[in-house]
Amino acid sequence: MIHLTTTGARTGRKHRVTLGALDIDGRLVVVASAMGSPKHPAWYHNLRRNPLVTVETGTETFEAAAVLPPDRDELFAAVVEREPGFAAYQERTTRVLPVVELRRLDA
């Protein structure tokens, strides 16, 4: 689990959400699943408008850039392999669940 702080797309205010995140081959990824809702979660809209985010793990806090990786399908398959519930979320909706890579800025 991580805390992700985004900047509101409309308001410009900071918003902090708790998300499940996975380390896939050294890449920190989150899925904008909203548990299979037909709409993207608000945090996803925020980071699409303002991709600079703050990530808090249990041991550290760092700035990151939220990126939609070109290998989304392969990453999603790796996510499902580790967390099969994401496959059920994808089945509940017609939208393609975005996979977002959080690339650390200070590394």
Side-chain angles (χ1 to χ4, degrees):
M1 299 299 280
I2 64 167
H3 294 293
L4 181 70
T5 301
T6 62
T7 302
R10 288 180 297 185
T11 65
R13 290 183 299 187
K14 298 292 182 186
H15 297 275
R16 186 174 183 244
V17 295
T18 302
L19 300 172
L22 294 161
D23 181 319
I24 298 179
D25 299 326
R27 299 163 73 184
L28 183 62
V29 298
V30 293
V31 179
S33 69
M35 298 177 65
S37 168
K39 294 184 179 181
H40 294 306
W43 64 262
Y44 177 73
H45 292 291
N46 290 344
L47 64 77
R48 293 289 292 147
R49 179 78 180 258
N50 301 299
L52 298 181
V53 297
T54 302
V55 176
E56 299 171 66
T57 69
T59 58
E60 63 181 334
T61 299
F62 58 91
E63 301 302 312
V67 177
L68 296 179
D71 59 342
R72 179 260 174 222
D73 294 344
E74 292 83 3
L75 276 177
F76 188 72
V79 166
V80 168
E81 185 176 302
R82 290 173 176 86
E83 296 290 337
F86 282 102
Y89 295 155
Q90 182 60 77
E91 290 173 9
R92 289 184 198 155
T93 186
T94 56
R95 69 183 173 91
V96 174
L97 300 182
V99 176
V100 179
E101 182 177 356
L102 302 172
R103 293 184 183 165
R104 184 185 204 107
L105 292 179
D106 59 4

